[in-house]
Amino acid sequence: MKNVIYGSLLSLCIGGTPPPDTSKSVSIKEEPHHHLILENAYVRVFRVEIISPDATLLHRHDTPYAYMSIGKADFINAVEGKPDAQVKMANGQLGYSKGGFSHIVRTTNDMPFYNITVELLHPQPNIHSDCAKTLGGPLEGCPTPQQTVAESAHDTNAELTGGAKSASPGTGGDTPLAVSTPDGAKSAAPAAPPAFTTIFESDESALKSGAFSAKATTSLQAPPSGILLVVEPLSQFKLEFSDGSSKLLGGGDCLWIDSGSSTKVTNSSDANPSSLLIFSFKDGAAKDAPKPAGN
């Protein structure tokens, strides 16, 4: 008995701590692998990092959320009260969950787990997708950004060669964007206009993926609620704002665009396509501005 008491006291003296109590879930903001990077009245955005082998604490998802894999993912999803499930996701693959559960994410096969998780803080009634087979996990059936870029380029080539015209998504017209060239140089083919695919939509919000061919550009006008931009992996953009400032964003970067702002968005790559997620919200009432993480 004395040895047990002595061992306990010694453990306390050298700073030992008991293992975490996994019988009680913590909020997602308290889970140490989830790093809050943006928060306002519409969304909370987390960058999630789990180095293998490791696992999160049992944590709660109280609201609906969307997520995007940064790199390939291979992990165990241990939802409280359900059998463990093996999940594999491709780089840039999207997922959606209605929330209302607690789970542990556990990495496998020595593969680290990185993603961007966007909590949707308003209810999402009548949510549906025109491309995903199901809503409730990794989304399957929607075109990849590469497919969307290729289709957009094909439509633009048809216009240039006198083929059938099609509207240019996101630009409100059917005229391809010109690319300037030095005097005397052979004119380059115009950049294909960006093409936008609706991933899911509800009575409250919508998520679209915008596929930009090399050098493609468009202007985004933020609605009264503002919009959230999330750059997909292997993508890079230059944003130019009405006040004359600009910002460069790479894969996994996020940015909130305030109500009414007009922003020019350009794929800053000279050779490769880039893709951008756009979260928009249908509530026209002005909401709180984004707060820095940790506030």
Side-chain angles (χ1 to χ4, degrees), residues 232-255:
E232 298 190 38
L234 304 179
S235 299
Q236 52 189 25
F237 288 93
K238 180 180 181 180
L239 277 63
E240 298 173 81
F241 307 104
S242 55
D243 63 1
S245 63
S246 63
K247 190 176 186 68
L248 296 176
L249 299 179
D253 287 340
C254 305
L255 185 68

PDB file of all heavy atoms in Angstrom, residues 232-255:
ATOM      1  N   GLU A 232      -8.015  24.893 -53.349  1.00  0.00           N
ATOM      2  CA  GLU A 232      -7.823  23.452 -53.413  1.00  0.00           C
ATOM      3  C   GLU A 232      -6.336  23.117 -53.604  1.00  0.00           C
ATOM      4  O   GLU A 232      -5.553  23.963 -54.029  1.00  0.00           O
ATOM      5  CB  GLU A 232      -8.678  22.864 -54.548  1.00  0.00           C
ATOM      6  CG  GLU A 232     -10.171  23.091 -54.299  1.00  0.00           C
ATOM      7  CD  GLU A 232     -11.061  22.319 -55.252  1.00  0.00           C
ATOM      8  OE1 GLU A 232     -10.717  21.168 -55.591  1.00  0.00           O
ATOM      9  OE2 GLU A 232     -12.109  22.865 -55.653  1.00  0.00           O
ATOM     10  N   PRO A 233      -5.931  21.882 -53.258  1.00  0.00           N
ATOM     11  CA  PRO A 233      -4.507  21.515 -53.355  1.00  0.00           C
ATOM     12  C   PRO A 233      -3.946  21.717 -54.753  1.00  0.00           C
ATOM     13  O   PRO A 233      -4.669  21.653 -55.750  1.00  0.00           O
ATOM     14  CB  PRO A 233      -4.509  20.029 -52.961  1.00  0.00           C
ATOM     15  CG  PRO A 233      -5.722  19.861 -52.114  1.00  0.00           C
ATOM     16  CD  PRO A 233      -6.735  20.790 -52.695  1.00  0.00           C
ATOM     17  N   LEU A 234      -2.629  21.958 -54.819  1.00  0.00           N
ATOM     18  CA  LEU A 234      -1.890  22.140 -56.067  1.00  0.00           C
ATOM     19  C   LEU A 234      -2.433  23.315 -56.880  1.00  0.00           C
ATOM     20  O   LEU A 234      -2.384  23.312 -58.122  1.00  0.00           O
ATOM     21  CB  LEU A 234      -1.922  20.859 -56.912  1.00  0.00           C
ATOM     22  CG  LEU A 234      -1.405  19.589 -56.217  1.00  0.00           C
ATOM     23  CD1 LEU A 234      -1.523  18.391 -57.146  1.00  0.00           C
ATOM     24  CD2 LEU A 234       0.029  19.767 -55.763  1.00  0.00           C
ATOM     25  N   SER A 235      -2.953  24.321 -56.191  1.00  0.00           N
ATOM     26  CA  SER A 235      -3.525  25.490 -56.847  1.00  0.00           C
ATOM     27  C   SER A 235      -2.902  26.753 -56.291  1.00  0.00           C
ATOM     28  O   SER A 235      -2.420  26.782 -55.157  1.00  0.00           O
ATOM     29  CB  SER A 235      -5.050  25.531 -56.635  1.00  0.00           C
ATOM     30  OG  SER A 235      -5.674  24.392 -57.196  1.00  0.00           O
ATOM     31  N   GLN A 236      -2.936  27.817 -57.098  1.00  0.00           N
ATOM     32  CA  GLN A 236      -2.410  29.093 -56.642  1.00  0.00           C
ATOM     33  C   GLN A 236      -3.162  30.230 -57.327  1.00  0.00           C
ATOM     34  O   GLN A 236      -3.479  30.155 -58.518  1.00  0.00           O
ATOM     35  CB  GLN A 236      -0.905  29.204 -56.936  1.00  0.00           C
ATOM     36  CG  GLN A 236      -0.497  28.915 -58.367  1.00  0.00           C
ATOM     37  CD  GLN A 236       1.010  28.831 -58.548  1.00  0.00           C
ATOM     38  OE1 GLN A 236       1.738  28.532 -57.609  1.00  0.00           O
ATOM     39  NE2 GLN A 236       1.488  29.118 -59.751  1.00  0.00           N
ATOM     40  N   PHE A 237      -3.466  31.252 -56.547  1.00  0.00           N
ATOM     41  CA  PHE A 237      -4.280  32.357 -57.038  1.00  0.00           C
ATOM     42  C   PHE A 237      -3.704  33.692 -56.588  1.00  0.00           C
ATOM     43  O   PHE A 237      -3.095  33.796 -55.516  1.00  0.00           O
ATOM     44  CB  PHE A 237      -5.717  32.245 -56.519  1.00  0.00           C
ATOM     45  CG  PHE A 237      -6.508  31.152 -57.152  1.00  0.00           C
ATOM     46  CD1 PHE A 237      -6.574  29.896 -56.569  1.00  0.00           C
ATOM     47  CD2 PHE A 237      -7.187  31.359 -58.343  1.00  0.00           C
ATOM     48  CE1 PHE A 237      -7.296  28.876 -57.152  1.00  0.00           C
ATOM     49  CE2 PHE A 237      -7.913  30.345 -58.936  1.00  0.00           C
ATOM     50  CZ  PHE A 237      -7.970  29.099 -58.341  1.00  0.00           C
ATOM     51  N   LYS A 238      -3.952  34.699 -57.419  1.00  0.00           N
ATOM     52  CA  LYS A 238      -3.713  36.081 -57.032  1.00  0.00           C
ATOM     53  C   LYS A 238      -5.062  36.764 -56.913  1.00  0.00           C
ATOM     54  O   LYS A 238      -5.884  36.710 -57.832  1.00  0.00           O
ATOM     55  CB  LYS A 238      -2.851  36.810 -58.062  1.00  0.00           C
ATOM     56  CG  LYS A 238      -2.577  38.264 -57.682  1.00  0.00           C
ATOM     57  CD  LYS A 238      -1.705  38.973 -58.720  1.00  0.00           C
ATOM     58  CE  LYS A 238      -1.435  40.415 -58.295  1.00  0.00           C
ATOM     59  NZ  LYS A 238      -0.586  41.130 -59.292  1.00  0.00           N
ATOM     60  N   LEU A 239      -5.301  37.410 -55.762  1.00  0.00           N
ATOM     61  CA  LEU A 239      -6.529  38.158 -55.529  1.00  0.00           C
ATOM     62  C   LEU A 239      -6.205  39.646 -55.508  1.00  0.00           C
ATOM     63  O   LEU A 239      -5.287  40.078 -54.810  1.00  0.00           O
ATOM     64  CB  LEU A 239      -7.183  37.743 -54.206  1.00  0.00           C
ATOM     65  CG  LEU A 239      -8.063  36.494 -54.240  1.00  0.00           C
ATOM     66  CD1 LEU A 239      -7.274  35.247 -54.611  1.00  0.00           C
ATOM     67  CD2 LEU A 239      -8.760  36.282 -52.901  1.00  0.00           C
ATOM     68  N   GLU A 240      -6.965  40.411 -56.263  1.00  0.00           N
ATOM     69  CA  GLU A 240      -6.784  41.856 -56.310  1.00  0.00           C
ATOM     70  C   GLU A 240      -8.061  42.519 -55.815  1.00  0.00           C
ATOM     71  O   GLU A 240      -9.155  42.241 -56.325  1.00  0.00           O
ATOM     72  CB  GLU A 240      -6.459  42.296 -57.738  1.00  0.00           C
ATOM     73  CG  GLU A 240      -5.158  41.695 -58.271  1.00  0.00           C
ATOM     74  CD  GLU A 240      -4.930  41.994 -59.732  1.00  0.00           C
ATOM     75  OE1 GLU A 240      -4.457  43.113 -60.033  1.00  0.00           O
ATOM     76  OE2 GLU A 240      -5.242  41.116 -60.571  1.00  0.00           O
ATOM     77  N   PHE A 241      -7.914  43.397 -54.826  1.00  0.00           N
ATOM     78  CA  PHE A 241      -9.054  43.997 -54.153  1.00  0.00           C
ATOM     79  C   PHE A 241      -9.293  45.428 -54.632  1.00  0.00           C
ATOM     80  O   PHE A 241      -8.415  46.072 -55.221  1.00  0.00           O
ATOM     81  CB  PHE A 241      -8.842  43.963 -52.641  1.00  0.00           C
ATOM     82  CG  PHE A 241      -8.507  42.593 -52.122  1.00  0.00           C
ATOM     83  CD1 PHE A 241      -7.201  42.266 -51.758  1.00  0.00           C
ATOM     84  CD2 PHE A 241      -9.473  41.618 -52.020  1.00  0.00           C
ATOM     85  CE1 PHE A 241      -6.881  41.001 -51.297  1.00  0.00           C
ATOM     86  CE2 PHE A 241      -9.169  40.344 -51.553  1.00  0.00           C
ATOM     87  CZ  PHE A 241      -7.857  40.042 -51.193  1.00  0.00           C
ATOM     88  N   SER A 242     -10.500  45.931 -54.368  1.00  0.00           N
ATOM     89  CA  SER A 242     -10.893  47.247 -54.866  1.00  0.00           C
ATOM     90  C   SER A 242     -10.069  48.380 -54.273  1.00  0.00           C
ATOM     91  O   SER A 242      -9.997  49.464 -54.844  1.00  0.00           O
ATOM     92  CB  SER A 242     -12.384  47.482 -54.586  1.00  0.00           C
ATOM     93  OG  SER A 242     -12.671  47.310 -53.208  1.00  0.00           O
ATOM     94  N   ASP A 243      -9.431  48.146 -53.121  1.00  0.00           N
ATOM     95  CA  ASP A 243      -8.606  49.197 -52.519  1.00  0.00           C
ATOM     96  C   ASP A 243      -7.189  49.226 -53.086  1.00  0.00           C
ATOM     97  O   ASP A 243      -6.334  49.987 -52.621  1.00  0.00           O
ATOM     98  CB  ASP A 243      -8.554  49.044 -50.996  1.00  0.00           C
ATOM     99  CG  ASP A 243      -7.889  47.740 -50.550  1.00  0.00           C
ATOM    100  OD1 ASP A 243      -7.457  46.958 -51.424  1.00  0.00           O
ATOM    101  OD2 ASP A 243      -7.807  47.506 -49.328  1.00  0.00           O
ATOM    102  N   GLY A 244      -6.920  48.402 -54.100  1.00  0.00           N
ATOM    103  CA  GLY A 244      -5.609  48.373 -54.723  1.00  0.00           C
ATOM    104  C   GLY A 244      -4.656  47.355 -54.144  1.00  0.00           C
ATOM    105  O   GLY A 244      -3.573  47.125 -54.704  1.00  0.00           O
ATOM    106  N   SER A 245      -4.995  46.723 -53.038  1.00  0.00           N
ATOM    107  CA  SER A 245      -4.134  45.707 -52.434  1.00  0.00           C
ATOM    108  C   SER A 245      -4.338  44.364 -53.142  1.00  0.00           C
ATOM    109  O   SER A 245      -5.301  44.169 -53.892  1.00  0.00           O
ATOM    110  CB  SER A 245      -4.426  45.568 -50.944  1.00  0.00           C
ATOM    111  OG  SER A 245      -5.760  45.119 -50.747  1.00  0.00           O
ATOM    112  N   SER A 246      -3.421  43.433 -52.896  1.00  0.00           N
ATOM    113  CA  SER A 246      -3.517  42.110 -53.494  1.00  0.00           C
ATOM    114  C   SER A 246      -2.996  41.074 -52.513  1.00  0.00           C
ATOM    115  O   SER A 246      -2.339  41.404 -51.519  1.00  0.00           O
ATOM    116  CB  SER A 246      -2.731  42.048 -54.808  1.00  0.00           C
ATOM    117  OG  SER A 246      -1.352  42.274 -54.575  1.00  0.00           O
ATOM    118  N   LYS A 247      -3.290  39.802 -52.807  1.00  0.00           N
ATOM    119  CA  LYS A 247      -2.887  38.718 -51.912  1.00  0.00           C
ATOM    120  C   LYS A 247      -2.690  37.462 -52.739  1.00  0.00           C
ATOM    121  O   LYS A 247      -3.457  37.193 -53.666  1.00  0.00           O
ATOM    122  CB  LYS A 247      -3.964  38.495 -50.847  1.00  0.00           C
ATOM    123  CG  LYS A 247      -3.561  37.565 -49.709  1.00  0.00           C
ATOM    124  CD  LYS A 247      -4.676  37.496 -48.684  1.00  0.00           C
ATOM    125  CE  LYS A 247      -4.256  36.687 -47.455  1.00  0.00           C
ATOM    126  NZ  LYS A 247      -3.223  37.363 -46.670  1.00  0.00           N
ATOM    127  N   LEU A 248      -1.654  36.687 -52.412  1.00  0.00           N
ATOM    128  CA  LEU A 248      -1.407  35.408 -53.048  1.00  0.00           C
ATOM    129  C   LEU A 248      -1.871  34.285 -52.125  1.00  0.00           C
ATOM    130  O   LEU A 248      -1.572  34.291 -50.928  1.00  0.00           O
ATOM    131  CB  LEU A 248       0.080  35.238 -53.376  1.00  0.00           C
ATOM    132  CG  LEU A 248       0.679  36.217 -54.381  1.00  0.00           C
ATOM    133  CD1 LEU A 248       2.183  35.970 -54.517  1.00  0.00           C
ATOM    134  CD2 LEU A 248       0.004  36.094 -55.739  1.00  0.00           C
ATOM    135  N   LEU A 249      -2.578  33.316 -52.675  1.00  0.00           N
ATOM    136  CA  LEU A 249      -3.069  32.178 -51.908  1.00  0.00           C
ATOM    137  C   LEU A 249      -2.627  30.884 -52.570  1.00  0.00           C
ATOM    138  O   LEU A 249      -2.630  30.778 -53.799  1.00  0.00           O
ATOM    139  CB  LEU A 249      -4.597  32.199 -51.821  1.00  0.00           C
ATOM    140  CG  LEU A 249      -5.263  33.402 -51.146  1.00  0.00           C
ATOM    141  CD1 LEU A 249      -6.780  33.254 -51.191  1.00  0.00           C
ATOM    142  CD2 LEU A 249      -4.792  33.558 -49.708  1.00  0.00           C
ATOM    143  N   GLY A 250      -2.256  29.896 -51.742  1.00  0.00           N
ATOM    144  CA  GLY A 250      -1.871  28.582 -52.231  1.00  0.00           C
ATOM    145  C   GLY A 250      -2.787  27.505 -51.685  1.00  0.00           C
ATOM    146  O   GLY A 250      -3.722  27.781 -50.916  1.00  0.00           O
ATOM    147  N   GLY A 251      -2.533  26.259 -52.062  1.00  0.00           N
ATOM    148  CA  GLY A 251      -3.379  25.144 -51.660  1.00  0.00           C
ATOM    149  C   GLY A 251      -3.586  25.057 -50.163  1.00  0.00           C
ATOM    150  O   GLY A 251      -2.634  25.084 -49.395  1.00  0.00           O
ATOM    151  N   GLY A 252      -4.851  24.981 -49.732  1.00  0.00           N
ATOM    152  CA  GLY A 252      -5.194  24.896 -48.321  1.00  0.00           C
ATOM    153  C   GLY A 252      -5.413  26.243 -47.653  1.00  0.00           C
ATOM    154  O   GLY A 252      -5.884  26.289 -46.514  1.00  0.00           O
ATOM    155  N   ASP A 253      -5.092  27.345 -48.333  1.00  0.00           N
ATOM    156  CA  ASP A 253      -5.319  28.672 -47.753  1.00  0.00           C
ATOM    157  C   ASP A 253      -6.804  29.028 -47.799  1.00  0.00           C
ATOM    158  O   ASP A 253      -7.543  28.604 -48.702  1.00  0.00           O
ATOM    159  CB  ASP A 253      -4.529  29.745 -48.501  1.00  0.00           C
ATOM    160  CG  ASP A 253      -3.039  29.685 -48.219  1.00  0.00           C
ATOM    161  OD1 ASP A 253      -2.665  29.089 -47.196  1.00  0.00           O
ATOM    162  OD2 ASP A 253      -2.251  30.233 -49.024  1.00  0.00           O
ATOM    163  N   CYS A 254      -7.232  29.836 -46.824  1.00  0.00           N
ATOM    164  CA  CYS A 254      -8.626  30.252 -46.721  1.00  0.00           C
ATOM    165  C   CYS A 254      -8.694  31.772 -46.582  1.00  0.00           C
ATOM    166  O   CYS A 254      -7.798  32.388 -45.998  1.00  0.00           O
ATOM    167  CB  CYS A 254      -9.305  29.621 -45.510  1.00  0.00           C
ATOM    168  SG  CYS A 254      -9.191  27.816 -45.448  1.00  0.00           S
ATOM    169  N   LEU A 255      -9.773  32.359 -47.078  1.00  0.00           N
ATOM    170  CA  LEU A 255      -9.949  33.806 -46.967  1.00  0.00           C
ATOM    171  C   LEU A 255     -11.427  34.130 -46.961  1.00  0.00           C
ATOM    172  O   LEU A 255     -12.195  33.600 -47.768  1.00  0.00           O
ATOM    173  CB  LEU A 255      -9.263  34.526 -48.133  1.00  0.00           C
ATOM    174  CG  LEU A 255      -9.267  36.061 -48.076  1.00  0.00           C
ATOM    175  CD1 LEU A 255      -8.382  36.564 -46.930  1.00  0.00           C
ATOM    176  CD2 LEU A 255      -8.800  36.653 -49.400  1.00  0.00           C
TER     177      LEU A 255
END
